[in-house]
Coordinates of all heavy atoms in Angstrom, one line a residue:
M17 N -45.6 -169.8 2.7 CA -44.4 -169.8 3.7 C -43.6 -171.0 3.4 O -44.1 -172.0 2.8 CB -45.0 -169.9 5.1 CG -45.6 -171.2 5.4 SD -47.0 -171.2 6.5 CE -48.1 -170.3 5.5
K18 N -42.3 -170.9 3.7 CA -41.4 -172.0 3.4 C -41.2 -172.9 4.6 O -41.1 -172.4 5.7 CB -40.0 -171.5 2.9 CG -40.1 -170.6 1.7 CD -40.5 -171.4 0.5 CE -40.5 -170.5 -0.8 NZ -41.2 -171.2 -1.9
L19 N -41.0 -174.2 4.3 CA -40.6 -175.2 5.3 C -39.4 -175.8 4.7 O -39.4 -176.4 3.6 CB -41.7 -176.2 5.5 CG -41.3 -177.3 6.5 CD1 -41.1 -176.8 7.9 CD2 -42.5 -178.4 6.5
I20 N -38.3 -175.7 5.5 CA -37.0 -176.2 5.0 C -36.7 -177.5 5.7 O -36.6 -177.5 7.0 CB -35.9 -175.2 5.2 CG1 -36.3 -173.9 4.4 CG2 -34.5 -175.7 4.8 CD1 -35.5 -172.7 4.8
V21 N -36.5 -178.6 5.0 CA -36.4 -179.9 5.6 C -35.1 -180.6 5.1 O -34.9 -180.7 3.9 CB -37.6 -180.8 5.1 CG1 -37.5 -182.2 5.8 CG2 -39.0 -180.1 5.5
T22 N -34.4 -181.0 6.1 CA -33.2 -181.8 5.8 C -33.6 -183.3 5.9 O -34.1 -183.7 6.9 CB -32.0 -181.5 6.7 OG1 -31.8 -180.1 6.6 CG2 -30.8 -182.3 6.4
D23 N -33.4 -184.1 4.8 CA -33.7 -185.5 4.9 C -32.7 -186.3 5.5 O -31.6 -185.8 6.0 CB -34.1 -186.0 3.5 CG -33.0 -186.1 2.5 OD1 -31.8 -186.1 3.0 OD2 -33.2 -186.1 1.3
R24 N -32.9 -187.6 5.6 CA -31.9 -188.5 6.3 C -30.6 -188.7 5.6 O -29.7 -189.3 6.1 CB -32.6 -189.8 6.6 CG -33.8 -189.6 7.5 CD -34.4 -190.9 8.0 NE -35.7 -190.7 8.7 CZ -36.9 -190.7 8.1 NH1 -37.0 -191.1 6.8 NH2 -38.0 -190.4 8.8
N25 N -30.5 -188.2 4.4 CA -29.2 -188.2 3.6 C -28.5 -186.9 3.7 O -27.5 -186.7 3.0 CB -29.5 -188.6 2.2 CG -30.1 -190.0 2.1 OD1 -29.6 -190.9 2.8 ND2 -31.1 -190.2 1.2
G26 N -29.1 -185.9 4.4 CA -28.5 -184.6 4.5 C -28.9 -183.7 3.4 O -28.3 -182.6 3.4
K27 N -29.8 -184.1 2.6 CA -30.2 -183.2 1.5 C -31.3 -182.2 2.0 O -32.2 -182.6 2.7 CB -30.8 -184.1 0.3 CG -31.1 -183.3 -0.9 CD -31.3 -184.1 -2.1 CE -31.6 -183.2 -3.3 NZ -32.7 -183.6 -4.1
V28 N -31.1 -181.0 1.6 CA -32.0 -180.0 2.1 C -33.1 -179.7 1.0 O -32.8 -179.5 -0.2 CB -31.3 -178.7 2.3 CG1 -32.2 -177.6 2.8 CG2 -30.2 -178.9 3.4
H29 N -34.4 -179.7 1.4 CA -35.5 -179.5 0.6 C -36.2 -178.2 1.0 O -36.6 -178.1 2.2 CB -36.5 -180.6 0.6 CG -35.8 -182.0 0.3 ND1 -35.9 -182.6 -0.9 CD2 -35.1 -182.8 1.1 CE1 -35.3 -183.7 -0.8 NE2 -34.8 -183.9 0.4
T30 N -36.5 -177.3 0.2 CA -37.3 -176.1 0.5 C -38.7 -176.3 0.0 O -38.9 -176.4 -1.2 CB -36.7 -174.9 -0.1 OG1 -35.4 -174.7 0.4 CG2 -37.5 -173.6 0.3
L31 N -39.6 -176.5 0.9 CA -41.0 -176.9 0.6 C -41.9 -175.6 0.7 O -41.7 -174.8 1.6 CB -41.5 -178.0 1.4 CG -40.6 -179.2 1.6 CD1 -41.3 -180.3 2.5 CD2 -40.3 -179.8 0.2
D32 N -43.0 -175.6 0.0 CA -44.0 -174.6 0.2 C -45.0 -175.1 1.2 O -45.8 -176.0 1.0 CB -44.7 -174.3 -1.1 CG -43.9 -173.5 -2.1 OD1 -43.2 -172.6 -1.6 OD2 -43.8 -173.9 -3.3
G33 N -44.9 -174.4 2.4 CA -45.9 -174.7 3.4 C -47.2 -174.1 3.1 O -47.3 -173.1 2.4
R34 N -48.3 -174.7 3.6 CA -49.6 -174.1 3.4 C -50.2 -173.8 4.8 O -50.2 -174.6 5.7 CB -50.5 -175.1 2.7 CG -50.0 -175.4 1.3 CD -51.2 -175.9 0.5 NE -50.7 -176.7 -0.6 CZ -51.4 -177.5 -1.4 NH1 -52.7 -177.6 -1.1 NH2 -50.9 -178.2 -2.3
E35 N -50.8 -172.6 4.8 CA -51.4 -172.1 6.1 C -52.3 -173.2 6.6 O -53.1 -173.8 5.8 CB -52.2 -170.9 5.8 CG -52.7 -170.1 7.0 CD -51.7 -169.1 7.5 OE1 -50.9 -168.6 6.8 OE2 -51.8 -168.9 8.8
D36 N -52.2 -173.5 7.8 CA -53.1 -174.4 8.6 C -52.8 -175.9 8.3 O -53.4 -176.7 8.9 CB -54.6 -174.1 8.3 CG -55.0 -172.8 9.1 OD1 -54.3 -172.5 10.0 OD2 -55.9 -172.2 8.6
W37 N -51.9 -176.2 7.4 CA -51.4 -177.6 7.3 C -50.5 -177.8 8.4 O -49.8 -176.9 8.9 CB -50.7 -177.8 5.9 CG -51.6 -178.0 4.8 CD1 -52.9 -177.5 4.6 CD2 -51.3 -178.8 3.6 NE1 -53.4 -177.9 3.4 CE2 -52.5 -178.7 2.8 CE3 -50.2 -179.6 3.2 CZ2 -52.5 -179.4 1.5 CZ3 -50.3 -180.2 2.0 CH2 -51.4 -180.1 1.2
S38 N -50.3 -179.1 8.7 CA -49.3 -179.4 9.7 C -48.0 -179.5 8.9 O -48.0 -179.8 7.7 CB -49.6 -180.7 10.5 OG -49.5 -181.8 9.6
A39 N -46.8 -179.4 9.6 CA -45.5 -179.7 9.0 C -45.5 -181.1 8.4 O -45.0 -181.3 7.3 CB -44.4 -179.4 9.9
M40 N -46.1 -182.0 9.1 CA -46.1 -183.4 8.6 C -46.8 -183.5 7.2 O -46.4 -184.2 6.3 CB -46.9 -184.3 9.6 CG -47.0 -185.7 9.2 SD -48.5 -186.0 8.2 CE -49.8 -186.2 9.4
E41 N -48.0 -182.8 7.1 CA -48.7 -182.8 5.8 C -47.9 -182.2 4.7 O -47.9 -182.7 3.6 CB -50.0 -182.1 6.0 CG -51.0 -182.9 6.9 CD -52.2 -182.0 7.2 OE1 -52.1 -180.9 7.7 OE2 -53.3 -182.6 7.0
V42 N -47.2 -181.2 5.0 CA -46.3 -180.5 4.0 C -45.2 -181.5 3.6 O -44.9 -181.7 2.4 CB -45.7 -179.2 4.5 CG1 -44.8 -178.6 3.5 CG2 -46.8 -178.2 4.9
I43 N -44.6 -182.1 4.5 CA -43.5 -183.1 4.2 C -44.0 -184.3 3.4 O -43.4 -184.7 2.4 CB -42.9 -183.5 5.6 CG1 -42.1 -182.4 6.2 CG2 -42.0 -184.7 5.4 CD1 -41.7 -182.6 7.6
R44 N -45.2 -184.8 3.8 CA -45.7 -186.0 3.1 C -46.2 -185.6 1.7 O -46.0 -186.3 0.7 CB -46.8 -186.6 3.8 CG -46.3 -187.4 5.0 CD -47.2 -188.3 5.7 NE -47.9 -189.2 4.7 CZ -48.8 -190.1 5.1 NH1 -49.1 -190.3 6.3 NH2 -49.3 -190.9 4.2
D45 N -46.7 -184.4 1.6 CA -47.2 -183.9 0.2 C -46.0 -183.8 -0.7 O -46.2 -183.9 -1.9 CB -47.9 -182.5 0.4 CG -48.6 -182.1 -0.8 OD1 -49.5 -182.8 -1.2 OD2 -48.3 -181.0 -1.3
A46 N -44.8 -183.6 -0.2 CA -43.6 -183.4 -1.0 C -43.0 -184.8 -1.3 O -41.9 -184.9 -1.8 CB -42.6 -182.5 -0.4
N47 N -43.6 -185.8 -0.8 CA -43.1 -187.2 -1.0 C -41.8 -187.5 -0.3 O -41.0 -188.3 -0.7 CB -43.0 -187.6 -2.4 CG -44.4 -187.7 -3.0 OD1 -45.3 -188.3 -2.4 ND2 -44.6 -187.2 -4.2
L48 N -41.5 -186.7 0.8 CA -40.3 -187.1 1.6 C -40.7 -188.2 2.5 O -41.8 -188.4 2.8 CB -39.9 -185.9 2.4 CG -39.3 -184.7 1.5 CD1 -38.9 -183.6 2.4 CD2 -38.2 -185.1 0.6
P49 N -39.7 -189.0 2.8 CA -40.0 -190.3 3.6 C -40.3 -190.0 5.0 O -39.5 -189.7 5.9 CB -38.6 -191.1 3.5 CG -37.6 -190.0 3.3 CD -38.2 -188.9 2.5
M50 N -41.6 -190.0 5.3 CA -42.1 -189.9 6.7 C -43.4 -190.8 6.7 O -44.3 -190.5 6.0 CB -42.5 -188.4 6.9 CG -43.2 -188.2 8.3 SD -43.4 -186.5 8.7 CE -41.8 -186.1 9.4
S51 N -43.3 -191.8 7.6 CA -44.5 -192.7 7.5 C -45.7 -192.1 8.1 O -46.8 -192.4 7.7 CB -44.1 -194.1 8.1 OG -43.6 -193.9 9.4
A52 N -45.6 -191.3 9.2 CA -46.7 -190.7 9.8 C -47.9 -191.6 9.9 O -49.0 -191.4 9.5 CB -47.1 -189.4 9.1
E53 N -47.7 -192.8 10.5 CA -48.6 -193.9 10.5 C -50.0 -193.6 11.0 O -51.0 -194.1 10.5 CB -48.0 -195.1 11.3 CG -47.0 -195.8 10.5 CD -46.1 -196.7 11.4 OE1 -46.5 -197.0 12.5 OE2 -45.0 -197.1 10.9
C54 N -50.1 -192.7 12.0 CA -51.4 -192.4 12.6 C -52.2 -191.3 11.8 O -53.3 -191.0 12.2 CB -51.3 -192.1 14.1 SG -50.8 -190.5 14.4
G55 N -51.5 -190.8 10.8 CA -52.2 -189.8 10.0 C -52.4 -188.4 10.7 O -53.2 -187.6 10.3
G56 N -51.6 -188.2 11.8 CA -51.6 -186.9 12.4 C -52.4 -186.8 13.7 O -52.7 -185.7 14.2
A57 N -52.7 -188.0 14.3 CA -53.5 -188.0 15.5 C -52.7 -188.0 16.8 O -53.2 -188.2 17.8 CB -54.4 -189.3 15.5
C58 N -51.4 -187.7 16.6 CA -50.5 -187.7 17.8 C -50.5 -189.0 18.5 O -50.6 -189.1 19.7 CB -50.9 -186.6 18.7 SG -49.5 -186.1 19.9
A59 N -50.4 -190.1 17.7 CA -50.5 -191.4 18.3 C -49.5 -192.4 17.7 O -49.7 -193.6 17.8 CB -52.0 -192.0 18.1
C60 N -48.4 -191.9 17.1 CA -47.5 -192.9 16.6 C -46.0 -192.5 16.7 O -45.1 -193.4 16.7 CB -47.8 -193.2 15.1 SG -47.3 -191.8 14.0
A61 N -45.7 -191.3 16.7 CA -44.3 -190.8 16.8 C -43.5 -191.0 15.6 O -42.3 -190.9 15.6 CB -43.6 -191.3 18.1
T62 N -44.1 -191.4 14.5 CA -43.3 -191.7 13.2 C -43.2 -190.4 12.4 O -42.8 -190.5 11.2 CB -43.9 -192.8 12.4 OG1 -45.2 -192.5 12.1 CG2 -43.8 -194.1 13.2
C63 N -43.6 -189.3 12.9 CA -43.5 -188.0 12.2 C -42.4 -187.1 13.0 O -42.4 -185.9 12.9 CB -44.8 -187.3 12.1 SG -45.5 -186.8 13.7
H64 N -41.6 -187.8 13.7 CA -40.6 -187.2 14.5 C -39.6 -186.4 13.7 O -39.0 -186.9 12.8 CB -39.9 -188.3 15.3 CG -38.8 -187.9 16.2 ND1 -37.9 -188.8 16.7 CD2 -38.4 -186.7 16.8 CE1 -37.0 -188.2 17.5 NE2 -37.3 -186.9 17.5
V65 N -39.4 -185.1 14.1 CA -38.4 -184.2 13.5 C -37.6 -183.5 14.6 O -38.0 -183.4 15.7 CB -39.0 -183.2 12.6 CG1 -39.7 -183.8 11.4 CG2 -40.0 -182.3 13.4
Y66 N -36.4 -183.1 14.2 CA -35.6 -182.2 15.0 C -35.8 -180.8 14.5 O -35.6 -180.5 13.3 CB -34.1 -182.6 15.0 CG -33.8 -184.0 15.4 CD1 -33.2 -184.9 14.5 CD2 -34.2 -184.5 16.6 CE1 -32.9 -186.2 14.9 CE2 -33.9 -185.8 17.0 CZ -33.3 -186.6 16.1 OH -33.0 -187.9 16.5
V67 N -36.0 -179.9 15.4 CA -36.3 -178.5 15.1 C -34.9 -177.7 15.2 O -34.2 -177.9 16.2 CB -37.3 -177.8 16.0 CG1 -37.5 -176.4 15.7 CG2 -38.6 -178.6 15.9
A68 N -34.6 -176.9 14.2 CA -33.3 -176.2 14.2 C -33.2 -175.2 15.3 O -34.2 -174.6 15.8 CB -33.2 -175.5 12.8
D69 N -32.0 -174.9 15.7 CA -31.7 -173.9 16.7 C -32.4 -172.6 16.2 O -32.4 -172.2 15.1 CB -30.2 -173.6 16.7 CG -29.4 -174.7 17.4 OD1 -30.1 -175.6 18.0 OD2 -28.2 -174.7 17.3
G70 N -32.9 -171.9 17.2 CA -33.5 -170.6 16.9 C -35.0 -170.7 16.6 O -35.7 -169.7 16.6
W71 N -35.5 -172.0 16.4 CA -36.9 -172.1 16.0 C -37.7 -172.8 17.2 O -38.9 -172.7 17.3 CB -37.1 -173.0 14.8 CG -36.8 -172.2 13.5 CD1 -35.7 -172.2 12.8 CD2 -37.7 -171.2 12.9 NE1 -35.8 -171.4 11.7 CE2 -37.0 -170.7 11.8 CE3 -38.9 -170.8 13.2 CZ2 -37.6 -169.8 11.0 CZ3 -39.5 -169.8 12.4 CH2 -38.8 -169.3 11.3
V72 N -36.9 -173.5 18.0 CA -37.6 -174.3 19.1 C -38.6 -173.5 19.9 O -39.7 -173.8 20.1 CB -36.6 -175.0 20.0 CG1 -37.2 -175.7 21.1 CG2 -35.7 -176.0 19.1
D73 N -38.1 -172.3 20.3 CA -38.9 -171.5 21.2 C -39.9 -170.7 20.5 O -40.8 -170.0 21.1 CB -37.9 -170.5 21.9 CG -37.0 -171.2 22.9 OD1 -37.3 -172.3 23.3 OD2 -36.0 -170.6 23.2
R74 N -39.9 -170.7 19.2 CA -40.9 -170.0 18.4 C -42.2 -170.9 18.1 O -43.2 -170.4 17.6 CB -40.3 -169.5 17.1 CG -39.3 -168.4 17.4 CD -38.5 -168.0 16.2 NE -39.3 -167.3 15.2 CZ -38.8 -166.8 14.1 NH1 -37.5 -166.9 13.9 NH2 -39.6 -166.2 13.3
L75 N -42.1 -172.1 18.4 CA -43.2 -173.0 18.2 C -44.1 -173.0 19.4 O -43.7 -172.8 20.5 CB -42.7 -174.5 18.0 CG -41.7 -174.7 16.8 CD1 -41.4 -176.2 16.7 CD2 -42.3 -174.2 15.5
V76 N -45.4 -173.3 19.2 CA -46.3 -173.5 20.3 C -45.8 -174.7 21.1 O -45.4 -175.8 20.5 CB -47.7 -173.8 19.8 CG1 -48.7 -174.1 20.9 CG2 -48.2 -172.6 19.0
P77 N -45.6 -174.6 22.4 CA -45.0 -175.7 23.2 C -45.8 -177.0 23.0 O -47.1 -177.0 22.7 CB -45.1 -175.2 24.6 CG -45.2 -173.7 24.5 CD -45.9 -173.4 23.2
A78 N -45.2 -178.1 23.1 CA -45.8 -179.4 22.9 C -46.8 -179.6 24.0 O -46.6 -179.4 25.2 CB -44.8 -180.5 23.0
A79 N -48.0 -180.1 23.6 CA -49.0 -180.5 24.6 C -48.6 -181.8 25.3 O -47.7 -182.5 24.8 CB -50.4 -180.7 23.9
Q80 N -49.2 -182.1 26.4 CA -48.8 -183.3 27.1 C -48.9 -184.6 26.3 O -48.0 -185.5 26.4 CB -49.7 -183.5 28.4 CG -49.1 -184.5 29.4 CD -47.7 -184.2 29.9 OE1 -47.4 -183.1 30.2 NE2 -46.9 -185.2 29.9
Q81 N -49.9 -184.7 25.4 CA -50.0 -185.9 24.6 C -48.8 -186.1 23.7 O -48.3 -187.2 23.5 CB -51.3 -185.8 23.8 CG -51.6 -187.1 23.1 CD -52.9 -187.0 22.2 OE1 -53.5 -186.0 22.2 NE2 -53.2 -188.1 21.5
E82 N -48.3 -184.9 23.2 CA -47.2 -185.0 22.3 C -45.9 -185.4 23.1 O -45.1 -186.2 22.7 CB -46.9 -183.6 21.6 CG -45.7 -183.7 20.7 CD -45.5 -182.3 20.0 OE1 -46.3 -181.4 20.1 OE2 -44.4 -182.2 19.3
V83 N -45.8 -184.8 24.3 CA -44.6 -185.1 25.1 C -44.6 -186.6 25.4 O -43.6 -187.3 25.3 CB -44.7 -184.3 26.4 CG1 -43.6 -184.8 27.4 CG2 -44.5 -182.8 26.1
D84 N -45.8 -187.1 25.8 CA -45.9 -188.6 26.1 C -45.6 -189.4 24.9 O -44.9 -190.5 25.0 CB -47.4 -188.9 26.6 CG -47.7 -188.3 27.9 OD1 -46.7 -187.8 28.6 OD2 -48.9 -188.2 28.3
M85 N -46.1 -189.0 23.7 CA -45.9 -189.8 22.5 C -44.4 -189.8 22.1 O -43.9 -190.8 21.6 CB -46.8 -189.3 21.4 CG -47.0 -190.3 20.2 SD -47.3 -192.0 20.7 CE -48.8 -191.8 21.6
L86 N -43.7 -188.7 22.4 CA -42.3 -188.6 22.0 C -41.5 -189.7 22.8 O -40.4 -190.0 22.4 CB -41.8 -187.2 22.3 CG -41.9 -186.3 21.1 CD1 -41.6 -184.8 21.5 CD2 -41.0 -186.6 19.9
D87 N -42.0 -190.2 23.9 CA -41.3 -191.2 24.6 C -41.1 -192.5 23.7 O -40.3 -193.3 24.0 CB -42.1 -191.6 25.9 CG -41.9 -190.6 27.0 OD1 -41.0 -189.8 26.9 OD2 -42.7 -190.6 27.9
F88 N -42.0 -192.6 22.7 CA -41.9 -193.7 21.8 C -41.1 -193.5 20.6 O -40.9 -194.3 19.7 CB -43.3 -194.2 21.4 CG -44.2 -194.6 22.5 CD1 -45.1 -193.8 23.2 CD2 -44.0 -195.9 23.0 CE1 -45.8 -194.2 24.2 CE2 -44.8 -196.4 24.1 CZ -45.7 -195.5 24.7
G89 N -40.6 -192.2 20.5 CA -39.7 -191.9 19.4 C -38.4 -192.5 19.4 O -37.9 -192.9 20.5
V90 N -37.7 -192.5 18.3 CA -36.3 -193.0 18.2 C -35.3 -191.9 18.3 O -35.6 -190.8 17.6 CB -36.1 -193.8 16.9 CG1 -34.7 -194.2 16.7 CG2 -37.1 -195.0 16.8
A91 N -34.3 -192.0 19.1 CA -33.2 -191.0 19.2 C -33.8 -189.6 19.5 O -33.5 -188.6 18.8 CB -32.4 -190.9 17.9
V92 N -34.7 -189.5 20.5 CA -35.3 -188.2 20.9 C -34.3 -187.3 21.5 O -33.4 -187.7 22.3 CB -36.5 -188.5 21.9 CG1 -37.0 -187.2 22.4 CG2 -37.5 -189.3 21.2
Q93 N -34.4 -186.0 21.2 CA -33.5 -185.0 21.7 C -34.3 -183.9 22.2 O -35.5 -183.8 22.1 CB -32.6 -184.5 20.5 CG -31.8 -185.5 19.8 CD -31.0 -184.9 18.6 OE1 -31.1 -183.7 18.3 NE2 -30.3 -185.7 17.9
E94 N -33.5 -182.9 22.8 CA -34.2 -181.7 23.4 C -35.1 -181.0 22.4 O -36.1 -180.4 22.7 CB -33.1 -180.7 23.9 CG -32.4 -181.2 25.1 CD -33.1 -180.7 26.4 OE1 -33.4 -179.5 26.5 OE2 -33.4 -181.6 27.2
N95 N -34.6 -181.0 21.1 CA -35.3 -180.3 20.1 C -36.2 -181.2 19.2 O -36.6 -180.8 18.1 CB -34.3 -179.6 19.1 CG -33.4 -180.6 18.5 OD1 -33.2 -181.7 18.9 ND2 -32.7 -180.1 17.4
S96 N -36.6 -182.3 19.8 CA -37.5 -183.2 19.1 C -39.0 -182.7 19.1 O -39.4 -182.2 20.2 CB -37.5 -184.6 19.7 OG -36.3 -185.2 19.4
R97 N -39.7 -182.8 18.1 CA -41.1 -182.5 18.0 C -41.8 -183.5 17.1 O -41.1 -184.1 16.2 CB -41.4 -181.1 17.5 CG -41.0 -180.0 18.4 CD -41.7 -180.0 19.8 NE -43.1 -179.8 19.6 CZ -43.8 -178.6 19.7 NH1 -43.1 -177.5 20.0 NH2 -45.1 -178.6 19.6
L98 N -43.1 -183.6 17.2 CA -43.9 -184.4 16.2 C -44.4 -183.4 15.2 O -45.1 -182.5 15.5 CB -45.0 -185.1 16.9 CG -44.6 -186.2 18.0 CD1 -45.8 -186.8 18.6 CD2 -43.7 -187.2 17.3
A99 N -44.0 -183.7 13.9 CA -44.3 -182.8 12.8 C -45.8 -182.6 12.7 O -46.3 -181.5 12.2 CB -43.7 -183.2 11.5
C100 N -46.6 -183.6 13.0 CA -48.1 -183.4 12.8 C -48.7 -182.4 13.8 O -49.8 -182.0 13.7 CB -48.8 -184.8 12.9 SG -48.9 -185.5 14.6
Q101 N -47.9 -182.1 14.9 CA -48.4 -181.2 15.9 C -47.9 -179.8 15.7 O -48.1 -178.9 16.5 CB -48.0 -181.7 17.3 CG -48.6 -183.1 17.6 CD -50.1 -183.1 17.4 OE1 -50.8 -182.4 18.1 NE2 -50.6 -184.0 16.6
I102 N -47.1 -179.5 14.6 CA -46.6 -178.2 14.2 C -47.5 -177.6 13.1 O -47.5 -178.1 12.0 CB -45.1 -178.2 13.7 CG1 -44.2 -178.8 14.8 CG2 -44.7 -176.8 13.4 CD1 -42.8 -179.1 14.3
K103 N -48.3 -176.7 13.5 CA -49.2 -176.1 12.5 C -48.5 -175.0 11.8 O -47.9 -174.1 12.5 CB -50.4 -175.6 13.3 CG -51.6 -175.2 12.4 CD -52.8 -174.8 13.3 CE -53.9 -174.3 12.5 NZ -55.0 -173.7 13.3
M104 N -48.6 -175.0 10.5 CA -47.9 -174.0 9.7 C -48.7 -172.7 9.8 O -49.9 -172.6 9.5 CB -47.7 -174.4 8.3 CG -46.9 -175.7 8.1 SD -45.2 -175.5 8.8 CE -44.5 -174.2 7.9
T105 N -48.0 -171.6 10.1 CA -48.6 -170.3 10.1 C -47.5 -169.3 9.5 O -46.3 -169.7 9.4 CB -48.9 -169.8 11.5 OG1 -47.6 -169.7 12.2 CG2 -49.8 -170.7 12.3
S106 N -47.9 -168.1 9.2 CA -47.0 -167.2 8.6 C -45.8 -166.9 9.5 O -44.7 -166.6 9.1 CB -47.7 -165.9 8.1 OG -48.4 -165.4 9.2
D107 N -46.0 -167.0 10.8 CA -45.0 -166.8 11.8 C -43.8 -167.8 11.6 O -42.7 -167.6 12.1 CB -45.5 -167.0 13.2 CG -46.4 -165.8 13.6 OD1 -46.5 -164.8 12.9 OD2 -47.0 -165.9 14.7
L108 N -44.2 -168.9 11.0 CA -43.2 -170.0 10.9 C -42.6 -170.1 9.5 O -42.0 -171.1 9.1 CB -43.8 -171.3 11.3 CG -44.4 -171.5 12.7 CD1 -44.9 -172.9 13.0 CD2 -43.3 -171.1 13.7
D109 N -42.7 -169.0 8.8 CA -42.0 -168.9 7.4 C -40.5 -169.2 7.6 O -39.9 -168.4 8.3 CB -42.3 -167.6 6.8 CG -41.8 -167.5 5.3 OD1 -41.7 -168.6 4.7 OD2 -41.5 -166.4 4.9
G110 N -40.0 -170.2 6.9 CA -38.6 -170.5 7.0 C -38.2 -171.5 8.0 O -37.0 -171.7 8.3
L111 N -39.2 -172.0 8.7 CA -38.9 -173.1 9.7 C -38.1 -174.2 9.1 O -38.3 -174.7 8.0 CB -40.3 -173.6 10.2 CG -40.2 -174.8 11.2 CD1 -39.6 -174.4 12.5 CD2 -41.6 -175.4 11.4
E112 N -37.1 -174.6 9.9 CA -36.1 -175.6 9.5 C -36.2 -176.8 10.4 O -36.1 -176.7 11.7 CB -34.7 -175.1 9.6 CG -34.4 -174.0 8.6 CD -33.0 -173.5 8.8 OE1 -32.0 -174.3 8.8 OE2 -32.9 -172.2 9.0
V113 N -36.4 -178.0 9.8 CA -36.5 -179.2 10.6 C -35.6 -180.3 9.9 O -35.4 -180.2 8.7 CB -37.9 -179.7 10.8 CG1 -38.8 -178.7 11.5 CG2 -38.6 -180.1 9.5
T114 N -35.3 -181.3 10.7 CA -34.5 -182.4 10.1 C -35.3 -183.7 10.4 O -35.8 -183.8 11.6 CB -33.1 -182.5 10.8 OG1 -32.4 -181.3 10.4 CG2 -32.3 -183.7 10.3
L115 N -35.4 -184.6 9.5 CA -36.2 -185.8 9.7 C -35.3 -186.7 10.7 O -34.2 -186.9 10.5 CB -36.4 -186.6 8.4 CG -37.1 -185.9 7.3 CD1 -37.4 -186.8 6.1 CD2 -38.5 -185.3 7.8
A116 N -36.0 -187.1 11.7 CA -35.3 -188.0 12.7 C -35.2 -189.4 12.1 O -36.0 -189.8 11.2 CB -36.1 -188.0 14.0
P117 N -34.3 -190.2 12.6 CA -34.3 -191.6 12.1 C -35.5 -192.4 12.5 O -36.1 -192.1 13.5 CB -33.0 -192.2 12.8 CG -32.7 -191.3 13.9 CD -33.3 -190.0 13.6
E118 N -35.9 -193.4 11.7 CA -37.1 -194.2 12.0 C -36.7 -195.4 12.8 O -37.5 -196.0 13.5 CB -37.8 -194.6 10.7 CG -38.5 -193.4 10.0 CD -39.6 -193.8 9.1 OE1 -39.4 -194.7 8.3 OE2 -40.7 -193.2 9.3
S119 N -35.4 -195.7 12.8 CA -34.9 -196.8 13.6 C -33.4 -196.6 13.8 O -32.8 -195.8 13.1 CB -35.1 -198.2 12.9 OG -34.5 -198.2 11.7
L120 N -32.9 -197.3 14.8 CA -31.4 -197.1 15.1 C -30.6 -198.1 14.4 O -31.1 -199.2 14.0 CB -31.2 -197.1 16.6 CG -31.7 -195.9 17.4 CD1 -31.5 -196.2 18.9 CD2 -31.1 -194.6 16.9
Ligands
FES227 FE1 -48.6 -190.0 14.1 FE2 -47.6 -187.5 14.1 S1 -48.4 -188.7 12.4 S2 -47.9 -188.8 15.8

């Protein structure tokens, strides 16, 4: 399945997602800049992404821990999610996200 990622320079990368990997793992495996400091434990908010229109409602809703952690994110928007909490499945083939800024 494909994961389409726009980096902070506006460049679009089409990545090969792997079933059961998180979007964060796919992004880091492609060496795109995402610090993901906690390694996917939903404890840092440095894997913050914006989910493209049309995809937000297709994701499993954020658990309370993710909602709470997003409070620590930078420039959080309605379509913000933590990439480590998005599990890649065939339903998400073609998912589009944009890397959020790490600082303002
Ligand atoms: Fe830390 Fe996602 S990697 S919250």
Side-chain angles (χ1 to χ4, degrees):
M17 72 216 63
K18 299 294 181 194
L19 174 64
I20 300 163
V21 181
T22 303
D23 69 21
R24 297 186 189 95
N25 296 319
K27 186 165 184 229
V28 178
H29 306 259
T30 301
L31 310 180
D32 285 317
R34 297 203 203 166
E35 188 90 29
D36 289 336
W37 279 30
S38 70
M40 177 276 277
E41 290 171 306
V42 176
I43 290 166
R44 287 192 52 176
D45 192 57
N47 290 318
L48 293 182
M50 172 173 276
S51 52
E53 283 163 17
C54 78
C58 198
C60 73
T62 59
C63 63
H64 177 197
V65 294
Y66 302 123
V67 177
D69 287 350
W71 283 102
V72 175
D73 294 339
R74 294 170 67 177
L75 302 181
V76 175
Q80 191 60 44
Q81 189 182 358
E82 180 180 352
V83 173
D84 291 347
M85 196 47 58
L86 271 168
D87 284 343
F88 296 97
V90 174
V92 173
Q93 302 177 0
E94 289 271 306
N95 60 343
S96 290
R97 292 295 301 263
L98 296 179
C100 71
Q101 302 302 304
I102 301 173
K103 190 174 174 188
M104 297 304 299
T105 64
S106 52
D107 289 351
L108 297 184
D109 184 26
L111 174 65
E112 295 175 52
V113 301
T114 298
L115 302 186
E118 291 203 310
S119 59
L120 290 178

